[in-house]
Amino acid sequence: MKRLRAMGIMAVLVGLILAANAPCVHAEEQLDLNRATLEEIRALPISEEVAETIWRHREYVSYYGSVYELRTLPGVTIEDFQRIKPLVEITSVVIEDEELQRINEIYYRIRQWESEEGGGEALVDHWIDLAKDPVNVNTASYNEIANLQSVSPPDAAAIFKHMRRNRVERRSQLRNIPGLTYWGYYNVRNFVRYDDPVDDVRFRGSYQFRVHNMPAIFDAEELLKEDRNFADGGYDSWWDRLELGSADPIYQHKFRGRWGQDINAGVLAHKGFGDDEFTAFKFHTTIKGKSLGPVAIDKIVLGNYALAFGQGLVMQNTDYFKPRNSGYGWDKRYMGILGDISPTQEYQLNGVATEMTLGNVKSVLFYSDDWKDAVLNPDGTINQYIIMSPRITNDDLAAAGMRDMKDVVHEQTMGANVKYGFAPGSWVGVSAYESRYNKYWKSGYDPNGTMDVAWIVPEDNEDKLVAADGEYFSSYTSRGKFRRVYGAEFQYVLDNVAFAGEYAALDKDGDLFELEEDARAFVVNAYASYSNLSFLALYRDYDLDFDNPYSRGFSEYKRYKGTILEDQYYLSDPIYGLLYVNSVAPQAERGLYVNSRYRFSDRLTPSIEYDVWERKSDGADYSRLVLKLRFQPIYNIVMNLRQKWQGRLGENWMTAQQYEQVETRFRLEYRLSKYDEVEFLLSRSWIEWPPRPRLSGNPEADGEYPDIGSAAVPSYALGAAVTHNFSDWLKVTGSVLYYDGFIWLFEDGTFTIIDDHAFRYWISISDRISDHLSLRFRWTNNHAFPLSYVDAREYGENPPGDPEPNGWYVRDDNAGFRVQLDYSW
């Protein structure tokens, strides 16, 4: 009954929205051509070609001063003009504040960027500043163009080459640059201007406040609820110890300021999940556009900064893992340094960094001094860096009988990247860094080559170790209190094709000139971009012992996937499972990845994504194939079909386990006027595997075969979402989803993973209250259904001495909220 009631309510809402938003224009409601969307102009009684001509003139040439200007447009007949003249009007566009005008023009994109969370925040902050105060495309460097959102190296090179011989004064000229694809133009247009800005040194900035308690279904929650004293018959979890069931919401304050285009600064205060106080304080001051004789000081950053080179093998500092991070398209990797006030904490760099240019040579120099969280060995040496969520205090760790982890390693890092450019978008370069520590590093092996892991894996569970655990035991062991990583990179652009690669090595023997024992990593790729076709081929090969904590190269899985760290119930304490859960470095893989997209027409665009790779620790072979089809039979209907096959082959004798996953997803978008939209989702997936010895015990000699655990798990989901723009500034989105099993999805731009049998519904309100103030609110509720086929005796028992019912197993509603306030001036 509840399901029928919820689906009935959604059907009524969809009907009301459809009825209220039919794209029509009435004579008594004249359409302002200086502000109308393309969809609204298409609704006029004219052909689609004429509608696009009217819209393009307004977008690329100038605003209309009179309705009679329509008669001068190519393709507009006198009959067209007479039909639409009584239906349209022209109102003047007054430019009082150029920056405010730009915000008004692309507010729909800024609204999306400002909701970004995680490791990309530093880059998003940069894009927002550029959208408000763009660079002059006629004087911009190659790097400034290439670092714009989703701009490919061939497109950046095409623009830079054209600028060396020509001048662009308007958007239409930008669009017609030889070699520039439409996708490249589309991504560049909002970040560039065509003349130098007016000398404006006013102080401009923004303040953001964010608070939320969104209950995420994530591995860390299961880990924190794991019983620490299961063998003793008691119950003791970190969830209880830290009282996370009643933890305060997550708070974040962010302030950013700009003085002209040369100086900007930022401050962040962040209080994470379960933290008793604000545990992250970050700041930066960035100065740009200075010179020292013949040396151009492109940028100096004091404080916290984000840094990336090449393919991310030597250096890219973030606390967030992103699979298949190729550096192209939506996986853009900013090259160089940026002031950083993102929530990244463990791998933050704090000190000073600078970018300099001398002729064709571009260099980055950096120094950082920071304290890191880490797991220590019993002898006080460093075992691994760890991202704790929450950041457990050393007092709480000591009360649980554990060693300190918070701020126990003092890291001082210095390094450089030097590139020589021999053509636009083409260069060769070298990079290196050295970190100095207050302690030695030692992996799970002692100097004699035997395992010393009893403190993290109890002796009675050592039989659970498998070949894949070699990735953990191959971690870094230092010859001194330092770590050195060095590498070389290249990029070459030929017309619409770019070739790039990076080689990196970890110095393991303490001798920079002895390379035999060094661990290596290698990535090379080729990327082609045309107006209707894009193609990417990428090959990577990482040694098992390439343990660089700042490596963020391309990989399908993060480091320690498949090791015993993934099964926290086998560890001496579940908290050590965070070494895998919050791991951000790539797994040691060797494989080939291919991605291609071809647009046959405006209606039909298929794409393919294929990856085949080997896990280095045990030789396990994997494959992943994703086919996508975007079909748009008419303008306001878009159908998206996604089919995925992924699995691990069972041919390797070291890893007999295998699995196969098939996922089908269909999404229908019905676009209405004023950017309103109705969306439907249908998803089905299936994963199956043979019995897993680690979970059920190894086969015995008498022929017994482990058959405990699930053989297959299906997942289903059916949902709908409605978006209605009450005005250009007020947007409301609501969604309801019925699902059974594991599913991933985007909720109002936020990536979410859930695994349950439940109804999930949410509503999001985005309101730009004034030119300078905006408010966002989202409320989510997850209504779980009762479990079936469960032995109640295992789920209703109380811990000894606890008279209350065990609430962990009660299926109930789980609600959360998110509030964000943005103010700019």
Side-chain angles (χ1 to χ4, degrees):
M1 183 61 69
K2 290 183 178 179
R3 300 184 198 179
L4 295 175
R5 185 182 300 117
M7 298 181 70
I9 293 173
M10 179 54 65
V12 172
L13 289 175
V14 171
L16 292 174
I17 294 296
L18 292 175
N21 289 275
C24 61
V25 177
H26 302 286
E28 63 273 12
E29 298 177 0
Q30 289 185 313
L31 185 66
D32 184 0
L33 291 182
N34 277 337
R35 293 173 172 80
T37 65
L38 178 58
E39 294 83 0
E40 292 172 331
I41 298 176
R42 280 173 169 162
L44 294 169
I46 51 178
S47 66
E48 185 169 328
E49 291 75 13
V50 172
E52 291 186 358
T53 298
I54 295 173
W55 178 78
R56 289 181 184 277
H57 178 87
R58 195 272 312 280
E59 286 292 300
Y60 304 136
V61 181
S62 67
Y63 288 106
Y64 293 104
S66 167
V67 69
Y68 292 98
E69 292 182 23
L70 297 175
R71 298 176 59 180
T72 65
L73 301 181
V76 179
T77 65
I78 187 65
E79 291 80 10
D80 292 331
F81 176 74
Q82 290 176 347
R83 280 196 301 270
I84 67 174
K85 182 176 180 293
L87 303 178
V88 300
E89 64 177 350
I90 305 296
T91 60
S92 60
V93 178
V94 180
I95 303 177
E96 297 179 353
D97 186 319
E98 181 183 0
E99 184 167 314
L100 180 59
Q101 181 199 15
R102 296 187 64 84
I103 294 174
N104 291 337
E105 289 176 351
I106 61 169
Y107 180 69
Y108 68 98
R109 300 191 72 176
I110 293 178
R111 175 167 54 190
Q112 180 182 2
W113 292 333
E114 287 181 335
S115 64
E116 179 78 16
E117 294 184 67
E121 283 193 42
L123 188 53
V124 168
D125 290 342
H126 172 67
W127 289 337
I128 292 176
D129 286 343
L130 278 181
K132 294 177 179 179
D133 193 8
V135 298
N136 185 351
V137 69
N138 294 289
T139 58
S141 67
Y142 169 82
N143 277 4
E144 287 178 312
I145 300 171
N147 277 328
L148 298 178
Q149 184 189 31
S150 301
V151 176
S152 68
D155 284 329
I159 295 174
F160 186 73
K161 289 178 183 178
H162 185 80
M163 293 302 102
R164 295 198 300 183
R165 303 183 301 272
N166 305 277
R167 182 175 179 83
V168 170
E169 297 182 350
R170 62 178 70 94
R171 275 190 176 183
S172 57
Q173 293 178 342
L174 178 68
R175 176 65 186 94
N176 293 323
I177 288 179
L180 178 63
T181 65
Y182 175 77
W183 183 242
Y185 157 76
Y186 180 83
N187 289 308
V188 167
R189 59 177 184 164
N190 290 322
F191 298 107
V192 297
R193 64 170 79 238
Y194 309 101
D195 52 16
D196 290 327
V198 177
D199 190 12
D200 183 2
V201 293
R202 286 182 295 173
F203 176 64
R204 296 180 180 271
S206 64
Y207 166 75
Q208 181 184 93
F209 170 72
R210 183 182 295 166
V211 56
H212 68 90
N213 70 337
M214 287 297 180
I217 304 300
F218 62 118
D219 292 337
E221 181 176 344
E222 178 182 351
L223 178 153
L224 293 167
K225 292 180 178 179
E226 187 73 30
D227 186 4
R228 301 179 64 241
N229 294 321
F230 179 78
D232 298 333
Y235 185 82
D236 178 21
S237 71
W238 285 106
W239 191 273
D240 284 343
R241 279 181 168 270
L242 302 176
E243 299 180 347
L244 298 180
S246 58
D248 292 336
I250 299 171
Y251 291 94
Q252 179 172 294
H253 301 270
K254 181 190 291 187
F255 164 82
R256 295 186 296 121
R258 293 179 290 118
W259 290 266
Q261 290 192 318
D262 296 338
I263 302 176
N264 63 73
V267 178
L268 171 81
H270 180 83
K271 177 180 177 294
F273 171 69
D275 295 334
D276 295 330
E277 56 186 14
F278 283 88
T279 56
F281 294 94
K282 302 175 70 174
F283 74 95
H284 79 86
T285 299
T286 302
I287 303 173
K288 297 183 289 185
K290 304 301 177 183
S291 61
L292 187 64
V295 179
I297 310 298
D298 302 320
K299 190 183 301 182
I300 299 176
V301 181
L302 303 174
N304 294 101
Y305 55 90
L307 180 64
F309 306 141
Q311 305 299 309
L313 296 184
V314 173
M315 174 61 69
Q316 184 180 357
N317 65 310
T318 175
D319 282 359
Y320 301 88
F321 172 78
K322 188 173 186 179
R324 298 176 294 280
N325 188 6
S326 65
Y328 296 96
W330 297 110
D331 299 324
K332 190 75 176 184
R333 181 181 288 114
Y334 186 92
M335 294 294 102
I337 57 176
L338 272 178
D340 177 24
I341 51 172
S342 73
T344 288
Q345 182 172 20
E346 176 68 5
Y347 295 103
Q348 67 178 345
L349 295 175
N350 181 26
V352 59
T354 181
E355 288 185 19
M356 300 179 292
T357 302
L358 177 61
N360 292 337
V361 178
K362 189 174 186 66
S363 61
V364 175
L365 306 176
F366 62 97
Y367 171 79
S368 172
D369 189 319
D370 194 45
W371 286 85
K372 307 293 186 183
D373 299 344
V375 175
L376 302 180
N377 294 306
D379 60 2
T381 57
I382 309 167
N383 184 274
Q384 293 287 314
Y385 277 156
I386 185 171
I387 299 176
M388 291 194 289
S389 54
R391 289 193 77 197
I392 305 174
T393 66
N394 291 331
D395 289 340
D396 287 332
L397 289 167
M402 302 187 66
R403 290 180 291 277
D404 292 352
M405 293 187 191
K406 184 178 179 181
D407 291 335
V408 293
V409 177
H410 186 203
E411 177 191 272
Q412 294 177 299
T413 299
M414 62 178 62
N417 172 259
V418 180
K419 296 189 292 188
Y420 176 79
F422 52 87
S426 302
W427 66 74
V428 292
V430 294
S431 54
Y433 81 83
E434 177 176 300
S435 293
R436 291 280 174 173
Y437 310 101
N438 59 336
K439 296 176 174 64
Y440 287 90
W441 288 78
K442 190 174 76 173
S443 67
Y445 283 102
D446 64 20
N448 298 321
T450 59
M451 289 188 299
D452 179 21
V453 295
W455 63 273
I456 192 171
V457 181
E459 292 184 4
D460 55 350
N461 285 334
E462 287 188 9
D463 62 331
K464 307 296 184 183
L465 296 172
V466 294
D469 294 305
E471 185 167 44
Y472 168 66
F473 297 118
S474 298
S475 300
Y476 181 63
T477 296
S478 63
R479 298 295 180 91
K481 298 180 181 180
F482 63 86
R483 185 194 315 246
R484 298 190 188 111
V485 179
Y486 58 92
E489 61 175 284
F490 78 93
Q491 180 172 291
Y492 177 66
V493 175
L494 178 63
D495 296 330
N496 290 80
V497 182
F499 303 91
E502 183 178 18
Y503 166 88
L506 170 66
D507 178 19
K508 296 191 65 178
D509 54 14
D511 187 349
L512 278 175
F513 301 100
E514 178 58 51
L515 310 180
E516 186 68 25
E517 296 184 14
D518 293 351
R520 302 172 178 85
F522 177 70
V523 171
V524 64
N525 64 67
Y527 178 79
S529 176
Y530 300 90
S531 292
N532 295 317
L533 171 68
S534 66
F535 177 84
L536 170 66
L538 183 148
Y539 177 82
R540 78 276 192 189
D541 189 348
Y542 309 145
D543 285 350
L544 189 63
D545 51 352
F546 182 73
D547 184 14
N548 175 14
Y550 290 105
S551 175
R552 303 293 181 268
F554 181 100
S555 70
E556 287 284 351
Y557 291 132
K558 55 188 176 183
R559 195 166 177 86
Y560 307 138
K561 171 70 175 176
T563 70
I564 200 167
L565 298 177
E566 190 177 1
D567 301 325
Q568 69 273 1
Y569 34 81
Y570 289 139
L571 306 178
S572 60
D573 193 287
I575 203 66
Y576 293 130
L578 291 176
L579 290 171
Y580 161 71
V581 170
N582 291 334
S583 172
V584 290
Q587 186 161 62
E589 299 176 352
R590 176 172 53 221
L592 175 65
Y593 171 81
V594 177
N595 187 326
S596 184
R597 173 183 177 272
Y598 183 75
R599 187 178 69 167
F600 285 96
S601 66
D602 291 339
R603 295 184 177 182
L604 185 64
T605 304
S607 63
I608 182 173
E609 191 177 4
Y610 179 67
D611 195 8
V612 56
W613 74 98
E614 173 194 353
R615 185 168 65 189
K616 285 292 197 72
S617 58
D618 59 357
D621 294 320
Y622 292 79
S623 66
R624 180 179 182 271
L625 174 64
V626 178
L627 301 178
K628 299 178 184 177
L629 181 65
R630 183 181 186 275
F631 180 53
Q632 191 171 4
I634 58 177
Y635 174 77
N636 59 335
I637 293 182
V638 181
M639 291 180 280
N640 296 278
L641 179 63
R642 183 180 187 273
Q643 182 70 39
K644 182 180 81 169
W645 296 270
Q646 181 169 328
R648 180 172 61 224
L649 305 180
E651 300 174 355
N652 185 348
W653 65 271
M654 285 194 300
T655 304
Q657 302 110 328
Q658 64 191 67
Y659 76 88
E660 181 178 357
Q661 181 184 13
V662 180
E663 178 183 283
T664 304
R665 178 175 293 229
F666 176 75
R667 187 164 54 89
L668 174 65
E669 304 172 28
Y670 184 28
R671 299 175 176 178
L672 309 171
S673 62
K674 299 181 180 180
Y675 297 101
D676 287 0
E677 183 178 271
V678 179
E679 180 179 321
F680 300 94
L681 171 68
L682 176 62
S683 175
R684 180 187 182 276
S685 65
W686 182 272
I687 182 170
E688 58 181 309
W689 52 77
R692 290 164 287 178
R694 178 177 279 180
L695 298 181
S696 54
N698 292 316
E700 300 293 338
D702 60 5
E704 293 181 2
Y705 190 80
D707 57 358
I708 299 175
S710 301
V713 175
S715 299
Y716 307 91
L718 176 64
V722 177
T723 298
H724 178 51
N725 293 275
F726 289 90
S727 67
D728 292 339
W729 288 9
L730 178 59
K731 172 185 174 183
V732 177
T733 302
S735 172
V736 61
L737 175 76
Y738 168 76
Y739 67 99
D740 185 1
F742 174 89
I743 185 173
W744 60 267
L745 66 158
F746 288 90
E747 295 183 340
D748 195 33
T750 302
F751 182 71
T752 304
I753 296 177
I754 47 181
D755 187 1
D756 208 339
H757 180 206
F759 259 118
R760 183 178 180 87
Y761 37 93
W762 57 268
I763 184 170
S764 171
I765 302 173
S766 176
D767 186 10
R768 189 179 175 194
I769 300 171
S770 69
D771 284 336
H772 304 284
L773 181 65
S774 63
L775 176 68
R776 293 171 180 81
F777 171 79
R778 181 154 65 97
W779 177 82
T780 303
N781 189 71
N782 207 72
H783 177 74
F785 293 105
L787 292 171
S788 301
Y789 306 107
V790 172
D791 186 345
R793 293 171 297 179
E794 298 181 4
Y795 285 81
E797 297 179 354
N798 302 326
D802 184 2
E804 299 296 327
N806 193 333
W808 297 132
Y809 308 108
V810 176
R811 311 306 298 275
D812 201 353
D813 284 23
N814 196 358
F817 72 91
R818 184 179 188 273
V819 178
Q820 180 174 316
L821 183 71
D822 291 276
Y823 179 74
S824 62
W825 61 89

